[in-house]
Amino acid sequence: MARNMRFRDATLANQVAKRICELAGNERNVKICHVCGTHEWTITHFGLRELLPSNVEVIAGPGCPVCIVPASEIDEAVELALRGVTTICFGDILRVPGSRRSLLDAKAEGADVRVVYSIGDAVKIAKRISGETVFFAVGFETTAPSTAVEAVGKPPRNLSLLVSHRLIPPAMEIMAEMRDLGLDGFIAPGHVSTVIGLEPYRVFPEKYGMPTVVAGFEPLDVLIGIYMILKQLREGKPRLENEYTRAVRREGNAKAQQLMQKVFEVADGSWRGLGTIRFSKLTLSKEYSELDAHLRHGLKVETGVDLQPGCRCHLVIVGRIRPNECSLFMKACTPRKPVGACMVSSEGTCRIWARST
Ligand code: SF4
């Protein structure tokens, strides 16, 4: 059996689910939060919620890096595109609504907006053309290192960076602070953890008393992660554990961390659905400020309209409601015609639920 296929074994999954039911008992309700679009995909696609006892709930937090980009930063990219700057982005962000337009709308109006799979492709485009280009750098700690690599690699002079990278642990801390959400534990994201390691999550068991388990993305990874959280709760000993040992090391990726520290500074950042979170955004450090699209092009967009009428993304993003509790879900808002950001990206909770209905 291929290595990862073991983690999809239905018999094993049922055995773990049985152990989860035994541990959960029926004395109290338990609410566990994950912060990763891929975790939500696994949970929804493989029907893991149906395997859990009724008193164990797993909610999706702000784990989609595209959904949480505030409208003001989409507006900045749109403004640059409409000013004639060749704007290069990942496909997922193309249809995310800004205050009035998405980048796709700008493209339809004649702007030069190009989709790439990596920032390396953006560098190639910039080398081929003579005009100004900008790369819209979106993503969590998983994609920020590749932006840093290109920044230190002396990109072409006609390429600037519109940096919208965000950090996951500060968003988790905001979720932990929302006492009315009643969270009991976190499943921490495997991809991000390969970069940052385990230490940034230590605050959750130590300050908030919340069991926190880094988990991989196969069904068994997630179920075992839930089991480990329940075991900690049962023992009354919240701690930080790593289920995803085949990919995540305690120290993370030191080289990626050093690069990020060299290229970026940490600042307060606005998140769609969550407002401003302290020390949650990466901006270019002084040494790399000549790459900053804000400075090069004098961008001044400060506030945006995050929610379209009727859209409840702000509640979906923090797990306060499920997608099907939004009245627009699969009516006015579908993957073909998304109204809100959570329906656009393949990592958005509404989009994942839409694909599974
Ligand atoms: Fe927003 Fe659409 Fe999700 Fe409703 S279904 S919360 S409109 S993305």
Side-chain angles (χ1 to χ4, degrees):
M1 197 181 293
R3 198 164 168 237
N4 270 348
M5 288 310 288
R6 278 192 301 128
F7 289 86
R8 294 188 179 193
D9 185 287
T11 308
L12 285 175
N14 281 318
Q15 284 171 3
V16 179
K18 195 165 164 242
R19 300 287 297 276
I20 287 173
C21 290
E22 287 163 8
L23 264 183
N26 49 19
E27 294 142 35
R28 57 168 289 204
N29 292 334
V30 173
K31 197 188 265 189
I32 296 168
C33 177
H34 72 76
V35 283
C36 175
T38 314
H39 276 149
E40 183 57 26
W41 184 86
T42 299
I43 290 165
T44 305
H45 182 77
F46 290 98
L48 300 189
R49 285 193 176 92
E50 279 80 69
L51 295 178
L52 300 178
S54 58
N55 61 332
V56 176
E57 185 184 5
V58 179
I59 66 165
C64 165
V66 167
C67 308
I68 56 86
V69 174
S72 59
E73 291 177 23
I74 304 288
D75 295 345
E76 290 176 339
V78 166
E79 185 173 327
L80 286 178
L82 293 177
R83 279 193 210 170
V85 177
T86 297
T87 303
I88 308 166
C89 63
F90 295 130
D92 267 12
I93 199 83
L94 198 63
R95 293 198 297 161
V96 173
S99 301
R100 283 193 303 277
R101 293 181 182 85
S102 65
L103 278 167
L104 188 62
D105 296 328
K107 189 174 170 68
E109 289 174 35
D112 186 4
V113 178
R114 305 191 191 190
V115 171
V116 291
Y117 289 107
S118 73
I119 184 173
D121 293 337
V123 170
K124 286 180 197 156
I125 291 171
K127 282 179 178 164
R128 280 203 305 268
I129 63 181
S130 56
E132 277 292 319
T133 60
V134 64
F135 178 67
F136 192 14
V138 170
F140 295 134
E141 291 94 330
T142 29
T143 46
S146 52
T147 306
V149 166
E150 293 300 339
V152 298
K154 302 211 185 318
R157 294 185 72 82
N158 63 338
L159 179 69
S160 60
L161 301 174
L162 188 57
V163 175
S164 279
H165 290 304
R166 296 291 191 278
L167 304 173
I168 275 286
M172 289 171 68
E173 193 152 4
I174 287 291
M175 298 284 290
E177 296 273 2
M178 292 177 182
R179 294 292 179 180
D180 63 316
L181 265 183
L183 297 183
D184 295 291
F186 278 120
I187 299 174
H191 294 144
V192 164
S193 306
T194 59
V195 175
I196 67 173
L198 302 185
E199 285 312 305
Y201 305 117
R202 192 163 294 286
V203 61
F204 301 112
E206 290 184 356
K207 181 174 169 190
Y208 297 98
M210 293 171 67
T212 300
V213 175
V214 173
F217 301 102
E218 296 295 338
L220 263 174
D221 287 315
V222 176
L223 286 172
I224 292 169
I226 294 167
Y227 171 82
M228 290 164 80
I229 288 171
L230 289 172
K231 190 159 179 288
Q232 291 185 34
L233 287 171
R234 172 57 71 98
E235 293 167 354
K237 288 184 184 159
R239 55 192 178 273
L240 174 60
E241 290 185 303
N242 180 15
E243 181 279 335
Y244 200 27
T245 51
R246 62 193 191 280
V248 174
R249 287 176 295 168
R250 173 165 293 279
E251 68 279 13
N253 183 332
K255 207 167 186 182
Q257 291 167 23
Q258 281 158 13
L259 263 174
M260 285 165 65
Q261 278 162 16
K262 182 173 166 63
V263 172
F264 300 118
E265 283 170 3
V266 178
D268 299 348
S270 170
W271 294 52
R272 195 182 295 242
L274 285 165
T276 298
I277 302 180
R278 295 201 74 198
F279 307 128
S280 68
K281 174 181 176 168
L282 296 178
T283 58
L284 288 162
S285 65
K286 270 206 183 86
E287 193 182 340
Y288 293 91
S289 59
E290 63 177 21
L291 293 173
D292 191 338
H294 294 96
L295 299 178
R296 192 177 299 184
H297 299 287
L299 272 178
K300 282 215 176 78
V301 179
E302 271 159 20
T303 53
V305 180
D306 278 347
L307 289 176
Q308 302 303 312
C311 174
R312 302 180 84 195
C313 278
H314 59 305
L315 301 178
V316 171
I317 284 171
V318 292
R320 285 192 190 280
I321 66 165
R322 298 173 178 202
N324 55 8
E325 292 174 73
C326 171
S327 61
L328 305 188
F329 181 72
M330 296 310 280
K331 293 175 186 131
C333 181
T334 65
R336 283 175 72 88
K337 281 188 79 177
V339 173
C342 299
M343 190 60 92
V344 175
S345 165
S346 57
E347 293 189 71
T349 305
C350 295
R351 171 75 169 246
I352 291 167
W353 280 53
R355 290 291 185 209
S356 301
T357 50

